[in-house]
Amino acid sequence: MSTAPGTIWHPCTQMKDHETFPLIRIARGQGIYLYDEAGNSYIDAISSWWVNLFGHANERIIKAISDQGRRLEHVIFAGFTHGPAEELAAGLLEIAPVGLEHVFFADNGSSAVEAALKMSHGFFRNSGRPERSKFVYLDHGYHGDTLGALAVCGEELYSEMFGPIMTEQIRVTGPDCFRCPHGRSREECGTECFAAMEQALSEHAHEVAAVIAEPMVQCAGGFRMYPAEYLRRLREATRRHGVLLILDEIAVGFGRTGPMLAEEHAGVAADLVCLSKGITSGTLPLSVVLATEEIYRAFYHDYVELKAFLHSHSYSGNALACAAAVETLRIFREEHVLERNVPRYTLLQRLVRERFAGEPHV
């Protein structure tokens, strides 16, 4: 049984286009391939919205989900806990930069960003500085489609329509290495572009809770890659101005840029880190926010002080998703994924350079 065309309203889609280009109805997936009901195959080059790490129908992950489903599929994640969430939290803190000591569970990337924004303001509010209620964000940055996340979105395509119902935040011209306004090449970059961020923090630090950025790559903004030095300067400046740093690793985490987390390129540690997408290797929705002890302690008080972090989702800490994420981390460790990727991306880099040598737009 299939639904009538248009019954399902698809995200980020002009549904009218499907009057001319019918939706592709996928029947199954295996490895890098998707198969429609007629048996045609498609390479899933977008990794099903950048979530799939180890291919469709990965036997290890499917088995982990199946085994967990026989024990516990879900339980309210407030006042109750379970083994998969605890094991996942321990595994995530093992791969996280030093200083991140607490794991908060949500169920999608936008929700993780919303939680991190609320944690940032709540940290200052609970510390007696409620005026710290603004956020600094970059041109071309993207952090999700919920209203809080859109308020720190540097891509008008997603945010402009909803401007009247969003809070105004502080937008800063960010790095643009593809069309460097300073005429620099990547090899000779002096991060002159950081001056805009420094000015914004100098003028607004007194009212800013946090700066939010995607480390190393602005993904939905056109895969704009920037040098590690920019990220190092951002970390130094936020500390100097007493502002928190949120790094959105949702799209670039879990080996997408080489190391497990993209911020490792710069050797920095954020105050809050958002993770999702590849965390379950594209099998089930899950997200987390990694936080420092200092931020956690700002919410740790007697109940009557009403300083607890009131942010919840019905499926927070879902046991099935946590089991998939635990197995994802095991695959990284046991199959030496990051090490095995090095010759692969080295080969791809060489082939791209040879194939497109002399092409001005590549």
Side-chain angles (χ1 to χ4, degrees):
M1 178 179 176
S2 61
T3 59
T7 300
I8 299 175
W9 191 348
H10 289 254
C12 289
T13 302
Q14 176 45 261
M15 296 302 297
K16 189 175 187 295
D17 290 344
H18 292 302
E19 295 177 8
T20 306
F21 303 101
L23 291 160
I24 299 171
R25 202 160 185 260
I26 296 300
R28 65 185 182 91
Q30 186 68 53
I32 67 169
Y33 291 100
L34 298 168
Y35 297 88
D36 66 19
E37 294 186 330
N40 298 307
S41 63
Y42 309 82
I43 294 176
D44 188 3
I46 200 169
S47 302
S48 293
W49 238 330
W50 317 342
V51 298
N52 196 300
L53 299 181
F54 305 129
H56 294 280
N58 181 281
E59 292 183 1
R60 290 189 57 168
I61 297 175
I62 296 304
K63 183 178 184 302
I65 294 172
S66 177
D67 291 346
Q68 181 59 43
R70 295 186 183 93
R71 295 189 294 271
L72 174 70
E73 74 296 335
H74 186 62
V75 63
I76 181 175
F77 205 65
F80 294 88
T81 186
H82 51 74
E86 293 172 356
E87 187 175 355
L88 175 58
L92 291 173
L93 293 181
E94 283 183 10
I95 67 171
V98 175
L100 294 169
E101 300 182 23
H102 298 275
V103 181
F104 183 87
F105 286 88
D107 53 15
N108 64 76
S110 297
S111 297
V113 168
E114 297 271 351
L117 295 173
K118 290 169 68 175
M119 285 176 182
S120 300
H121 171 61
F123 167 77
F124 286 107
R125 178 186 179 278
N126 287 357
S127 303
R129 292 169 285 176
E131 71 280 1
R132 294 289 194 101
S133 60
K134 291 290 187 181
F135 297 93
V136 175
Y137 66 100
L138 295 173
D139 274 346
H140 308 296
Y142 173 82
H143 306 285
D145 288 332
T146 49
L147 284 178
L150 279 180
V152 291
C153 177
E155 281 290 315
E156 287 82 359
L157 174 66
Y158 305 100
S159 62
E160 184 177 19
M161 179 185 295
F162 306 104
I165 58 173
M166 294 189 302
T167 57
E168 185 176 353
Q169 304 301 336
I170 302 166
R171 181 168 176 157
V172 172
T173 301
D176 189 353
C177 296
F178 186 53
R179 296 180 177 87
C180 177
H182 303 283
R184 298 276 198 170
S185 67
R186 180 176 297 276
E187 293 71 24
E188 63 180 11
C189 175
T191 57
E192 291 91 338
C193 55
F194 192 76
M197 176 63 72
E198 184 62 60
Q199 180 179 348
L201 290 176
S202 296
E203 294 177 359
H204 298 284
H206 64 282
E207 61 179 336
V208 169
V211 175
I212 184 167
E214 299 159 278
M216 304 303 295
V217 187
Q218 293 182 298
C219 296
F223 287 92
R224 296 167 186 264
M225 303 182 186
Y226 61 90
E229 181 59 25
Y230 187 97
L231 202 53
R232 283 190 283 268
R233 293 188 65 178
L234 180 60
R235 175 70 282 193
E236 187 279 327
T238 50
R239 283 200 172 117
R240 176 161 37 87
H241 288 283
V243 170
L244 298 180
L245 176 61
I246 303 169
L247 288 183
D248 177 354
E249 293 258 9
I250 290 165
V252 294
F254 298 100
R256 286 294 192 191
T257 69
M260 202 65 165
L261 299 180
E263 62 202 84
E264 294 178 42
H265 288 287
V268 302
D271 301 292
L272 295 161
V273 171
C274 302
L275 297 169
S276 189
K277 289 193 181 289
I279 195 169
T280 65
S281 195
T283 52
L284 290 167
L286 182 68
S287 66
V288 300
V289 181
L290 309 182
T292 64
E293 174 72 9
E294 183 182 17
I295 293 173
Y296 174 79
R297 282 287 160 184
F299 297 89
Y300 192 88
H301 294 273
D302 291 330
Y303 178 84
V304 293
E305 294 187 42
L306 299 179
K307 290 187 175 181
F309 185 55
L310 299 182
H311 181 102
S312 62
H313 299 275
S314 299
Y315 285 94
S316 292
N318 175 259
L320 295 175
C322 287
V326 167
E327 191 64 23
T328 295
L329 291 180
R330 286 200 189 108
I331 292 173
F332 269 105
R333 289 194 307 269
E334 296 171 7
E335 299 186 14
H336 307 288
V337 173
L338 298 183
E339 296 82 357
R340 288 169 53 210
N341 276 347
V342 174
R344 293 171 177 169
Y345 63 67
T346 302
L347 173 63
L348 282 171
Q349 184 181 54
R350 178 174 64 80
L351 293 176
V352 167
R353 284 177 172 170
E354 290 176 357
R355 170 63 180 82
F356 297 104
E359 292 285 349
H361 302 297
V362 177

